Amino acid sequence: MNDKELNDIFSVEAVNFMRKSIVESYGNEVYFGINFNAFGILDHIEVMARGNKDSVPAIISLSLEFDAVIHNHPSGQLTPSRADLMIASELGNNAGVGFYIVNNDVDDYYEVVRPIKSEDTKTINSPEALYMFTENGLLSKLLKKYEYRQEQTELVEATIEAFNNNKHLISEAGTGIGKSFAYLIPALLWLKENKTRIVVSTNTINLQEQIISKDLPSIIDTIAPTVKYALVKGRNNYVCIKKVKDGLNDIDKLDFDEQINFFESIDNWLNITKDGSITDLGYKPKSELWEMVCCDTDTCTHRKCEYLEDCYFYKMRKQLNASQLLIVNHHILCADLSLYAETAGRYSLLPRYTKVIIDEAHNFENSASSYFGNEGSKNGILKALFYISRMKKNKRLGVIESIKNMVNEKKSVIQNDDYKEIIELINQAHDITNRVRNIVDESSKQFITYCHKNIKTKEGLGYKFRISPEIVGSKHWQNEGLKHVREIVIIISSLVNLCDRLYKKFFDIAIENNFDYEEIAQMSNAYLERLKNQLVSLNSVIDYKKDEYIRWIEARLTKKGGRLTKEGGII
C-alpha cells in the first residue's frame, strides 16, 4: 500500500513522459532514470533502456547518475521480481538510488526503495571549532596533558576551510603537533550536521589502532555522539568458512601434514573467533597457509554460498553501511577506487562516501602502484599453477583434475567423441603445466645470470632496474635478457590457450547435459585469470613502448634459487 499519491511522487510531466514512452515501445518494459526537482518531486526523466514484455536491461552505471529508477510491468502486477530486488538492493546500498515499478498506464506505482534526497549542506562553524583547540577549550578538558599548538590550529583552520568550500587540501606537518585531531574533529563536526560518509586512509596499522582505540573514543561522545565509526579490513584478512570446510571434507587435496593441521586448527578457531579476522587468530600464520583459507574476490561464490549468513566478511560489510566514518588503509582505498573505475561505478569495495582524508600520504604512491599497475612474478605464476594442476604423492590435484573427475563421473551421458576429446585436452594440460614449472624455474635462474653479467644496479641479493630506452636498445637485452622472458611467456601462453579450449569444451558438455558445474567453472576461470594477468605483465616488458607506464624489473636470489619479478606502475 503506497503512503503517497502518484502526483506527490512524480511530476505530471514525468508521468506523461512515461506513458508516451511506453506506448512508443509497443507496451514493452522501459527503464527510466529520474531526478528530483527543486521542490522534492521526481521530475527530470529520461529513457535508459527498452526491453520486451518480460524484462528490460538495467544499466547500472547509468542508473548511478539518477536519484531513482523506474520501469513498468506490462502485466499490471507490480510485485518486484527477484531480479528487481537484487538491482534495487545494489543501487540502494551503493548510491542511495530509489527504485519504483509502475503499470503501463502509469496510474499506479510500487515503491521498492525510497530514494535518498540530498539535503542542503551545513558548514562547520569555524570560530567554535577553533576555540576547542585553545588553552581553555574543550580539548583541554577531554585530553590529559593537552597543549595548545599554533601549528595544529593552523592545520585545523585549513581543514575546515577545505570542508566548507569543497576544496582539496595538501598539508605537511611535523611530528607531535596533533595531526590526527586536526582532521578528525572537523570530520566529526561535518558528519554531525551532514548525513554523509567520510573515509580516513592511513598507511600503518599503528596509526589505525591509535585512531580507533585512543583518539576517537576520547572525543566522539562529547563532540558527535551519534556518529558511528568502523575500522575496515581487507577481504583477505577474513577467513572463508567454505574454504576451510571444503578442505577438510576432501583432505586428500591438502599436500602436507602442516596444511592438514592448519585447516583443523582454523576449523576449531571458527567456534570461538569474534570476527573471523587474522588479527583475532592470536598469531601470524605463514602467508601460503592463510592464503588457502582466506576470503578472496575471484573464488567467492557470493549469494550462492551455503555459509553466506555466517560469512565474517559480509557481516563486516553490513556494519560499514551503518557507519559514517570509515578508517581504512591505503591499500583498501586504492582497491575501492580501482574496482569502482573498472566497473564504471557499478561495484565498490566501500559504501558510498563523499570525502576522503589521506594521512601518511607520502606512502600512498606505493599502494596506488600496486592497484593501478600490473605485477608479474615467479611466485605469482607458481601460485596460479598450484590451483590449476599439481601432484601429491603421485596423485593429480587442482581444478583440471576436478573437471576430469566430473567428466568420468558423468561419462555415461557424454557422447563418446566428446569424452575422448576432453580427456585428451586434460592430459595435455597436466603435461604442459609441468613444463611451465620447469621452464619458469630454469629461465629465472638464467635471468639472474644475465643480470650478474650485464646489470650494474645491484640491490641486496639481486638487481632492480628500470626498462628504459637505453636498456631496450642494448644488444645484451635484445640478444639475451629478452630471451629468458620470452621463454616464460611462450610456455605460459601455450598453457592459457590450451586451458581456454579445455574449459570451453567442458562448459559446452556441462550445459548440454545439465551438470552442476558452476563452482568448478568459477574456480577454473579465477585461477586461469590470475595466470593471464601474469602474462599481461610479462608481455608489457617484451613489448616495450613509450607510454604512460613505468616498467621495472626486480631479480633476486632466494634460498630456493632464482626468483624473477617484474612490476609495472602507472605514472
Side-chain angles (χ1 to χ4, degrees), residues 17-22 24-25 29-34 44-51 56-57 59 62 66 70:
F17 180 87
M18 284 188 277
R19 287 172 178 162
K20 183 173 182 291
S21 299
I22 292 168
E24 290 175 348
S25 300
E29 289 195 19
V30 183
Y31 190 67
F32 302 93
I34 191 166
H44 309 295
I45 188 169
E46 61 183 78
V47 173
M48 284 190 281
R50 296 176 175 85
V56 64
I59 313 302
L62 288 178
F66 294 95
I70 312 164

Side-chain angles (χ1 to χ4, degrees), residues 207-218 229 231:
L207 182 52
Q208 286 179 306
E209 291 179 346
Q210 174 191 313
I211 292 172
I212 286 291
S213 303
K214 183 180 177 183
D215 294 347
L216 284 173
S218 67
Y229 60 91
L231 174 64

Side-chain angles (χ1 to χ4, degrees), residues 403-427 502 505 509 513 515:
I403 291 174
K404 184 177 181 180
N405 292 338
M406 178 170 283
V407 168
N408 285 331
E409 182 184 333
K410 305 287 187 180
K411 181 179 179 181
S412 60
V413 298
I414 301 174
Q415 292 186 11
N416 191 48
D417 288 345
D418 287 336
Y419 177 79
K420 288 181 179 179
E421 182 181 349
I422 196 167
I423 291 297
E424 178 62 25
L425 289 172
I426 288 170
N427 291 335
L502 167 59
K505 186 66 181 179
I509 292 172
N513 295 282
F515 294 170

Side-chain angles (χ1 to χ4, degrees), residues 305-485:
C305 181
E306 58 193 298
Y307 303 103
L308 181 62
E309 291 185 5
D310 299 317
C311 177
Y312 296 105
F313 175 72
Y314 279 100
K315 284 180 181 178
M316 181 272 292
R317 288 298 302 269
K318 290 178 183 178
Q319 292 175 355
L320 298 190
N321 290 328
S323 301
Q324 283 184 270
L325 183 61
L326 303 181
I327 312 302
V328 309
N329 62 33
H330 295 342
H331 285 283
I332 292 176
L333 178 58
C334 288
D336 176 72
L337 296 172
S338 176
L339 180 60
Y340 188 88
E342 287 175 4
T343 61
R346 178 167 185 175
Y347 297 110
S348 61
L349 183 64
L350 300 172
R352 190 182 187 187
Y353 51 90
T354 57
K355 295 186 183 297
V356 179
I357 299 169
I358 301 176
D359 200 347
E360 301 176 312
H362 54 285
N363 299 114
F364 193 75
E365 178 187 357
N366 293 333
S367 298
S369 295
S370 67
Y371 279 97
F372 294 97
N374 297 314
E375 178 179 337
S377 69
K378 177 183 176 182
N379 190 40
I381 294 168
L382 296 181
K383 279 184 177 180
L385 295 179
F386 176 85
Y387 292 105
I388 292 172
S389 174
R390 67 185 188 277
M391 290 290 294
K392 177 191 175 184
K393 297 178 181 178
N394 297 320
K395 182 178 180 180
R396 284 285 182 186
L397 297 173
V399 293
I400 292 176
E401 195 64 14
S402 297
I403 291 174
K404 184 177 181 180
N405 292 338
M406 178 170 283
V407 168
N408 285 331
E409 182 184 333
K410 305 287 187 180
K411 181 179 179 181
S412 60
V413 298
I414 301 174
Q415 292 186 11
N416 191 48
D417 288 345
D418 287 336
Y419 177 79
K420 288 181 179 179
E421 182 181 349
I422 196 167
I423 291 297
E424 178 62 25
L425 289 172
I426 288 170
N427 291 335
Q428 290 178 19
H430 281 318
D431 178 63
I432 200 170
T433 303
N434 291 334
R435 289 166 53 201
V436 171
R437 283 192 178 92
N438 294 334
I439 289 176
V440 167
D441 186 61
E442 183 59 31
S443 295
S444 298
K445 294 175 182 177
Q446 293 297 325
F447 193 86
I448 286 285
T449 302
Y450 157 78
C451 291
H452 184 68
K453 289 165 43 181
N454 300 286
I455 304 299
K456 307 301 181 185
T457 53
K458 192 169 183 179
E459 185 177 275
L461 293 176
Y463 302 85
K464 183 176 181 178
F465 59 97
R466 182 176 173 181
I467 305 297
S468 62
E470 291 75 24
I471 285 286
V472 171
S474 65
K475 289 184 178 180
H476 63 76
W477 176 253
Q478 292 295 328
N479 297 333
E480 189 176 354
L482 279 178
K483 173 187 174 184
H484 307 305
V485 183

Side-chain angles (χ1 to χ4, degrees), residues 35 55 95 124 184 206 213 259 311 413 457 467 514 518 528:
N35 286 319
S55 60
I124 300 170
L184 284 176
N206 289 341
S213 303
Q259 293 178 0
C311 177
V413 298
T457 53
I467 305 297
N514 199 28
E518 285 82 2
L528 186 60

